[in-house]
Tab-separated table of all heavy atoms in Angstrom:
chain	number	residue	atom	x	y	z
R	1	THR	N	-14.009	5.498	-2.364
R	1	THR	CA	-14.139	4.152	-1.811
R	1	THR	C	-13.436	3.126	-2.691
R	1	THR	O	-12.824	2.172	-2.193
R	1	THR	CB	-15.622	3.784	-1.650
R	1	THR	OG1	-16.270	4.799	-0.871
R	1	THR	CG2	-15.788	2.441	-0.961
R	2	LEU	N	-13.500	3.312	-4.000
R	2	LEU	CA	-12.820	2.393	-4.917
R	2	LEU	C	-11.299	2.504	-4.760
R	2	LEU	O	-10.581	1.497	-4.821
R	2	LEU	CB	-13.231	2.681	-6.360
R	2	LEU	CG	-14.712	2.440	-6.675
R	2	LEU	CD1	-15.026	2.876	-8.105
R	2	LEU	CD2	-15.101	0.980	-6.458
R	3	LEU	N	-10.806	3.720	-4.537
R	3	LEU	CA	-9.380	3.885	-4.273
R	3	LEU	C	-9.010	3.202	-2.961
R	3	LEU	O	-7.992	2.509	-2.871
R	3	LEU	CB	-9.020	5.373	-4.227
R	3	LEU	CG	-7.533	5.707	-4.074
R	3	LEU	CD1	-7.175	6.996	-4.820
R	3	LEU	CD2	-7.130	5.856	-2.597
R	4	GLU	N	-9.848	3.391	-1.957
R	4	GLU	CA	-9.596	2.753	-0.659
R	4	GLU	C	-9.608	1.236	-0.793
R	4	GLU	O	-8.795	0.538	-0.155
R	4	GLU	CB	-10.641	3.209	0.352
R	4	GLU	CG	-10.453	2.648	1.757
R	4	GLU	CD	-9.299	3.292	2.525
R	4	GLU	OE1	-8.613	4.181	1.963
R	4	GLU	OE2	-9.088	2.906	3.696
R	5	LEU	N	-10.504	0.698	-1.604
R	5	LEU	CA	-10.559	-0.755	-1.826
R	5	LEU	C	-9.229	-1.260	-2.365
R	5	LEU	O	-8.703	-2.277	-1.888
R	5	LEU	CB	-11.691	-1.098	-2.795
R	5	LEU	CG	-11.807	-2.575	-3.177
R	5	LEU	CD1	-12.268	-3.406	-1.981
R	5	LEU	CD2	-12.760	-2.751	-4.357
R	6	SER	N	-8.683	-0.570	-3.362
R	6	SER	CA	-7.396	-0.985	-3.918
R	6	SER	C	-6.310	-0.922	-2.857
R	6	SER	O	-5.531	-1.866	-2.692
R	6	SER	CB	-7.020	-0.103	-5.115
R	6	SER	OG	-7.913	-0.290	-6.187
R	7	ALA	N	-6.257	0.182	-2.120
R	7	ALA	CA	-5.214	0.363	-1.108
R	7	ALA	C	-5.320	-0.677	0.004
R	7	ALA	O	-4.315	-1.272	0.420
R	7	ALA	CB	-5.294	1.768	-0.527
R	8	VAL	N	-6.530	-0.925	0.478
R	8	VAL	CA	-6.729	-1.852	1.597
R	8	VAL	C	-6.431	-3.290	1.189
R	8	VAL	O	-5.773	-4.038	1.933
R	8	VAL	CB	-8.168	-1.724	2.139
R	8	VAL	CG1	-8.511	-2.889	3.064
R	8	VAL	CG2	-8.334	-0.400	2.873
R	9	THR	N	-6.903	-3.699	0.019
R	9	THR	CA	-6.681	-5.088	-0.388
R	9	THR	C	-5.203	-5.346	-0.687
R	9	THR	O	-4.700	-6.442	-0.429
R	9	THR	CB	-7.545	-5.451	-1.605
R	9	THR	OG1	-7.386	-4.468	-2.643
R	9	THR	CG2	-9.018	-5.519	-1.208
R	10	ILE	N	-4.496	-4.350	-1.198
R	10	ILE	CA	-3.049	-4.492	-1.408
R	10	ILE	C	-2.329	-4.632	-0.073
R	10	ILE	O	-1.548	-5.573	0.144
R	10	ILE	CB	-2.489	-3.279	-2.184
R	10	ILE	CG1	-2.965	-3.305	-3.639
R	10	ILE	CG2	-0.964	-3.254	-2.118
R	10	ILE	CD1	-2.728	-1.991	-4.377
R	11	THR	N	-2.582	-3.715	0.838
R	11	THR	CA	-1.842	-3.705	2.103
R	11	THR	C	-2.263	-4.858	3.018
R	11	THR	O	-1.430	-5.377	3.770
R	11	THR	CB	-2.012	-2.358	2.817
R	11	THR	OG1	-3.411	-2.067	2.976
R	11	THR	CG2	-1.373	-1.247	2.009
R	12	ASN	N	-3.525	-5.279	2.948
R	12	ASN	CA	-3.933	-6.445	3.733
R	12	ASN	C	-3.093	-7.661	3.371
R	12	ASN	O	-2.661	-8.431	4.243
R	12	ASN	CB	-5.411	-6.765	3.483
R	12	ASN	CG	-6.343	-5.884	4.289
R	12	ASN	OD1	-5.899	-5.114	5.144
R	12	ASN	ND2	-7.633	-5.981	4.018
R	13	GLU	N	-2.865	-7.850	2.074
R	13	GLU	CA	-2.104	-9.019	1.636
R	13	GLU	C	-0.632	-8.897	2.025
R	13	GLU	O	0.005	-9.889	2.384
R	13	GLU	CB	-2.239	-9.202	0.120
R	13	GLU	CG	-3.643	-9.543	-0.349
R	13	GLU	CD	-4.083	-10.949	0.062
R	13	GLU	OE1	-3.297	-11.681	0.702
R	13	GLU	OE2	-5.230	-11.321	-0.248
R	14	ILE	N	-0.084	-7.699	1.958
R	14	ILE	CA	1.307	-7.501	2.381
R	14	ILE	C	1.443	-7.814	3.868
R	14	ILE	O	2.411	-8.464	4.303
R	14	ILE	CB	1.756	-6.065	2.063
R	14	ILE	CG1	1.852	-5.868	0.546
R	14	ILE	CG2	3.100	-5.753	2.725
R	14	ILE	CD1	2.122	-4.434	0.116
R	15	ASN	N	0.469	-7.390	4.652
R	15	ASN	CA	0.495	-7.674	6.093
R	15	ASN	C	0.349	-9.160	6.380
R	15	ASN	O	1.030	-9.701	7.255
R	15	ASN	CB	-0.608	-6.886	6.801
R	15	ASN	CG	-0.267	-5.416	6.958
R	15	ASN	OD1	0.854	-5.062	7.272
R	15	ASN	ND2	-1.249	-4.545	6.731
R	16	LYS	N	-0.539	-9.823	5.645
R	16	LYS	CA	-0.747	-11.261	5.848
R	16	LYS	C	0.540	-12.048	5.642
R	16	LYS	O	0.782	-13.054	6.299
R	16	LYS	CB	-1.812	-11.787	4.871
R	16	LYS	CG	-3.241	-11.489	5.225
R	16	LYS	CD	-4.144	-12.127	4.173
R	16	LYS	CE	-5.556	-11.611	4.235
R	16	LYS	NZ	-6.379	-12.171	3.137
R	17	GLN	N	1.346	-11.581	4.705
R	17	GLN	CA	2.573	-12.297	4.363
R	17	GLN	C	3.783	-11.822	5.178
R	17	GLN	O	4.917	-12.204	4.906
R	17	GLN	CB	2.869	-12.123	2.867
R	17	GLN	CG	1.768	-12.612	1.944
R	17	GLN	CD	1.529	-14.103	2.037
R	17	GLN	OE1	2.441	-14.868	2.325
R	17	GLN	NE2	0.293	-14.531	1.806
R	18	ASP	N	3.528	-10.984	6.196
R	18	ASP	CA	4.587	-10.495	7.096
R	18	ASP	C	5.669	-9.709	6.362
R	18	ASP	O	6.866	-9.819	6.675
R	18	ASP	CB	5.214	-11.662	7.877
R	18	ASP	CG	4.230	-12.325	8.825
R	18	ASP	OD1	3.361	-11.615	9.371
R	18	ASP	OD2	4.309	-13.557	9.016
R	19	PHE	N	5.254	-8.907	5.404
R	19	PHE	CA	6.202	-8.065	4.677
R	19	PHE	C	5.925	-6.576	4.924
R	19	PHE	O	6.339	-5.730	4.142
R	19	PHE	CB	6.132	-8.357	3.179
R	19	PHE	CG	7.078	-9.449	2.737
R	19	PHE	CD1	6.831	-10.776	3.050
R	19	PHE	CD2	8.222	-9.140	2.011
R	19	PHE	CE1	7.697	-11.777	2.649
R	19	PHE	CE2	9.095	-10.133	1.604
R	19	PHE	CZ	8.837	-11.465	1.918
R	20	ALA	N	5.241	-6.258	6.012
R	20	ALA	CA	4.844	-4.873	6.274
R	20	ALA	C	6.035	-3.968	6.533
R	20	ALA	O	5.929	-2.745	6.388
R	20	ALA	CB	3.883	-4.816	7.457
R	21	MET	N	7.185	-4.540	6.912
R	21	MET	CA	8.359	-3.727	7.203
R	21	MET	C	9.373	-3.750	6.063
R	21	MET	O	10.453	-3.172	6.168
R	21	MET	CB	9.016	-4.208	8.506
R	21	MET	CG	8.111	-4.086	9.720
R	21	MET	SD	8.873	-4.692	11.235
R	21	MET	CE	10.166	-3.465	11.487
R	22	ALA	N	9.019	-4.400	4.980
R	22	ALA	CA	9.923	-4.485	3.836
R	22	ALA	C	9.922	-3.183	3.045
R	22	ALA	O	9.091	-2.289	3.275
R	22	ALA	CB	9.499	-5.650	2.934
R	23	GLN	N	10.870	-3.060	2.129
R	23	GLN	CA	10.828	-1.959	1.172
R	23	GLN	C	9.722	-2.231	0.164
R	23	GLN	O	9.549	-3.362	-0.282
R	23	GLN	CB	12.160	-1.840	0.435
R	23	GLN	CG	13.331	-1.457	1.307
R	23	GLN	CD	14.625	-1.407	0.515
R	23	GLN	OE1	14.803	-2.122	-0.467
R	23	GLN	NE2	15.553	-0.568	0.948
R	24	LEU	N	8.966	-1.200	-0.195
R	24	LEU	CA	7.890	-1.328	-1.183
R	24	LEU	C	8.240	-0.481	-2.395
R	24	LEU	O	8.416	0.737	-2.288
R	24	LEU	CB	6.560	-0.869	-0.588
R	24	LEU	CG	5.365	-0.848	-1.550
R	24	LEU	CD1	4.990	-2.256	-1.987
R	24	LEU	CD2	4.160	-0.160	-0.921
R	25	PHE	N	8.340	-1.140	-3.550
R	25	PHE	CA	8.610	-0.447	-4.800
R	25	PHE	C	7.411	-0.635	-5.726
R	25	PHE	O	6.981	-1.770	-5.965
R	25	PHE	CB	9.888	-0.972	-5.455
R	25	PHE	CG	11.129	-0.662	-4.667
R	25	PHE	CD1	11.684	-1.617	-3.833
R	25	PHE	CD2	11.722	0.587	-4.756
R	25	PHE	CE1	12.832	-1.333	-3.098
R	25	PHE	CE2	12.868	0.887	-4.017
R	25	PHE	CZ	13.431	-0.074	-3.188
R	26	VAL	N	6.890	0.470	-6.242
R	26	VAL	CA	5.646	0.457	-7.006
R	26	VAL	C	5.938	0.727	-8.475
R	26	VAL	O	6.748	1.592	-8.817
R	26	VAL	CB	4.659	1.510	-6.467
R	26	VAL	CG1	3.314	1.404	-7.179
R	26	VAL	CG2	4.485	1.353	-4.952
R	27	CYS	N	5.259	-0.030	-9.339
R	27	CYS	CA	5.333	0.214	-10.777
R	27	CYS	C	3.922	0.165	-11.352
R	27	CYS	O	2.962	-0.147	-10.656
R	27	CYS	CB	6.248	-0.803	-11.460
R	27	CYS	SG	5.775	-2.534	-11.221
R	28	GLY	N	3.813	0.465	-12.644
R	28	GLY	CA	2.500	0.516	-13.276
R	28	GLY	C	1.898	1.913	-13.162
R	28	GLY	O	2.435	2.807	-12.487
R	29	GLY	N	0.752	2.092	-13.811
R	29	GLY	CA	0.111	3.406	-13.836
R	29	GLY	C	-0.248	3.933	-12.471
R	29	GLY	O	-0.257	5.152	-12.243
R	30	GLY	N	-0.548	3.043	-11.533
R	30	GLY	CA	-0.932	3.468	-10.193
R	30	GLY	C	0.173	4.182	-9.448
R	30	GLY	O	-0.092	4.895	-8.476
R	31	ALA	N	1.417	4.022	-9.892
R	31	ALA	CA	2.535	4.719	-9.246
R	31	ALA	C	2.415	6.226	-9.402
R	31	ALA	O	3.030	6.984	-8.647
R	31	ALA	CB	3.859	4.230	-9.827
R	32	HIS	N	1.611	6.682	-10.375
R	32	HIS	CA	1.426	8.113	-10.610
R	32	HIS	C	0.229	8.689	-9.850
R	32	HIS	O	0.005	9.901	-9.890
R	32	HIS	CB	1.241	8.377	-12.103
R	32	HIS	CG	2.399	7.913	-12.935
R	32	HIS	ND1	3.641	8.491	-12.877
R	32	HIS	CD2	2.495	6.893	-13.831
R	32	HIS	CE1	4.459	7.864	-13.714
R	32	HIS	NE2	3.789	6.894	-14.304
R	33	ASN	N	-0.546	7.818	-9.202
R	33	ASN	CA	-1.708	8.273	-8.433
R	33	ASN	C	-1.234	8.684	-7.045
R	33	ASN	O	-1.032	7.845	-6.168
R	33	ASN	CB	-2.752	7.152	-8.355
R	33	ASN	CG	-4.050	7.605	-7.723
R	33	ASN	OD1	-4.054	8.375	-6.765
R	33	ASN	ND2	-5.168	7.102	-8.233
R	34	GLN	N	-1.041	9.971	-6.855
R	34	GLN	CA	-0.440	10.460	-5.624
R	34	GLN	C	-1.289	10.157	-4.392
R	34	GLN	O	-0.766	9.878	-3.310
R	34	GLN	CB	-0.181	11.964	-5.741
R	34	GLN	CG	0.813	12.325	-6.835
R	34	GLN	CD	0.925	13.824	-7.064
R	34	GLN	OE1	0.339	14.620	-6.327
R	34	GLN	NE2	1.680	14.216	-8.088
R	35	VAL	N	-2.614	10.215	-4.555
R	35	VAL	CA	-3.496	9.935	-3.420
R	35	VAL	C	-3.388	8.464	-3.025
R	35	VAL	O	-3.315	8.126	-1.836
R	35	VAL	CB	-4.951	10.307	-3.765
R	35	VAL	CG1	-5.888	9.923	-2.626
R	35	VAL	CG2	-5.062	11.801	-4.056
R	36	LEU	N	-3.337	7.582	-4.003
R	36	LEU	CA	-3.201	6.156	-3.727
R	36	LEU	C	-1.845	5.863	-3.085
R	36	LEU	O	-1.766	5.097	-2.115
R	36	LEU	CB	-3.370	5.363	-5.017
R	36	LEU	CG	-3.213	3.836	-4.923
R	36	LEU	CD1	-4.187	3.248	-3.902
R	36	LEU	CD2	-3.432	3.198	-6.299
R	37	MET	N	-0.792	6.463	-3.606
R	37	MET	CA	0.542	6.235	-3.025
R	37	MET	C	0.593	6.715	-1.574
R	37	MET	O	1.168	6.047	-0.701
R	37	MET	CB	1.591	6.951	-3.870
R	37	MET	CG	1.827	6.339	-5.241
R	37	MET	SD	2.672	4.731	-5.166
R	37	MET	CE	4.325	5.246	-4.691
R	38	ARG	N	-0.014	7.871	-1.319
R	38	ARG	CA	-0.021	8.395	0.046
R	38	ARG	C	-0.813	7.470	0.970
R	38	ARG	O	-0.412	7.228	2.121
R	38	ARG	CB	-0.615	9.805	0.043
R	38	ARG	CG	-0.530	10.507	1.386
R	38	ARG	CD	-0.652	12.027	1.238
R	38	ARG	NE	-1.867	12.421	0.531
R	38	ARG	CZ	-1.849	12.972	-0.693
R	38	ARG	NH1	-0.716	13.146	-1.343
R	38	ARG	NH2	-2.980	13.333	-1.272
R	39	ARG	N	-1.920	6.923	0.461
R	39	ARG	CA	-2.725	6.022	1.293
R	39	ARG	C	-1.976	4.725	1.592
R	39	ARG	O	-2.080	4.192	2.703
R	39	ARG	CB	-4.051	5.720	0.573
R	39	ARG	CG	-5.034	4.920	1.409
R	39	ARG	CD	-5.410	5.653	2.674
R	39	ARG	NE	-6.358	4.894	3.490
R	39	ARG	CZ	-6.317	4.849	4.816
R	39	ARG	NH1	-5.370	5.505	5.490
R	39	ARG	NH2	-7.208	4.144	5.487
R	40	LEU	N	-1.228	4.227	0.629
R	40	LEU	CA	-0.417	3.030	0.881
R	40	LEU	C	0.571	3.296	2.015
R	40	LEU	O	0.786	2.442	2.880
R	40	LEU	CB	0.336	2.619	-0.387
R	40	LEU	CG	-0.502	2.087	-1.546
R	40	LEU	CD1	0.365	1.894	-2.781
R	40	LEU	CD2	-1.190	0.781	-1.176
R	41	GLY	N	1.154	4.490	2.013
R	41	GLY	CA	2.078	4.855	3.086
R	41	GLY	C	1.402	4.901	4.449
R	41	GLY	O	1.978	4.478	5.457
R	42	GLN	N	0.177	5.395	4.477
R	42	GLN	CA	-0.556	5.458	5.738
R	42	GLN	C	-0.908	4.063	6.264
R	42	GLN	O	-0.907	3.829	7.477
R	42	GLN	CB	-1.831	6.280	5.539
R	42	GLN	CG	-1.570	7.750	5.266
R	42	GLN	CD	-2.813	8.491	4.802
R	42	GLN	OE1	-3.828	7.884	4.452
R	42	GLN	NE2	-2.740	9.833	4.788
R	43	LEU	N	-1.199	3.150	5.351
R	43	LEU	CA	-1.586	1.795	5.746
R	43	LEU	C	-0.388	0.887	6.021
R	43	LEU	O	-0.546	-0.192	6.582
R	43	LEU	CB	-2.471	1.171	4.663
R	43	LEU	CG	-3.847	1.821	4.478
R	43	LEU	CD1	-4.539	1.268	3.239
R	43	LEU	CD2	-4.719	1.601	5.716
R	44	LEU	N	0.796	1.342	5.611
R	44	LEU	CA	2.032	0.589	5.862
R	44	LEU	C	3.032	1.509	6.565
R	44	LEU	O	4.098	1.826	6.031
R	44	LEU	CB	2.619	0.068	4.546
R	44	LEU	CG	1.813	-0.997	3.801
R	44	LEU	CD1	2.405	-1.241	2.418
R	44	LEU	CD2	1.770	-2.307	4.598
R	45	PRO	N	2.717	1.937	7.787
R	45	PRO	CA	3.557	2.938	8.464
R	45	PRO	C	4.954	2.447	8.803
R	45	PRO	O	5.850	3.259	9.053
R	45	PRO	CB	2.743	3.271	9.725
R	45	PRO	CG	1.938	2.034	9.986
R	45	PRO	CD	1.579	1.509	8.631
R	46	HIS	N	5.151	1.138	8.842
R	46	HIS	CA	6.441	0.597	9.249
R	46	HIS	C	7.286	0.128	8.068
R	46	HIS	O	8.349	-0.478	8.270
R	46	HIS	CB	6.238	-0.556	10.227
R	46	HIS	CG	5.462	-0.169	11.455
R	46	HIS	ND1	5.911	0.767	12.361
R	46	HIS	CD2	4.241	-0.574	11.902
R	46	HIS	CE1	5.019	0.919	13.327
R	46	HIS	NE2	3.990	0.127	13.070
R	47	ALA	N	6.814	0.405	6.854
R	47	ALA	CA	7.593	0.012	5.679
R	47	ALA	C	8.950	0.709	5.690
R	47	ALA	O	9.055	1.891	6.035
R	47	ALA	CB	6.832	0.356	4.404
R	48	ALA	N	9.994	-0.036	5.330
R	48	ALA	CA	11.340	0.542	5.331
R	48	ALA	C	11.468	1.670	4.322
R	48	ALA	O	12.235	2.616	4.532
R	48	ALA	CB	12.366	-0.554	5.038
């Protein structure tokens, strides 16, 4: 649930700002969390 919280709050804000179709480049330690990265992809299906 804590992982989902991070993923949802990140993608909610990207959607609010109309950047859901933009390219997403990730940095920081979270870039190595494969489950989190996969969830971001699921929540942003139209990302370039």
Side-chain angles (χ1 to χ4, degrees):
T1 306
L2 296 175
L3 185 147
E4 182 74 359
L5 177 69
S6 294
V8 166
T9 51
I10 290 167
T11 54
N12 279 353
E13 294 290 359
I14 292 173
N15 284 319
K16 282 182 194 176
Q17 302 296 330
D18 295 326
F19 270 73
M21 298 178 68
Q23 295 178 330
L24 175 67
F25 293 98
V26 185
C27 58
H32 301 292
N33 187 321
Q34 297 172 6
V35 176
L36 178 57
M37 290 290 288
R38 186 159 55 248
R39 186 60 180 142
L40 292 173
Q42 293 169 347
L43 293 171
L44 293 171
H46 302 297

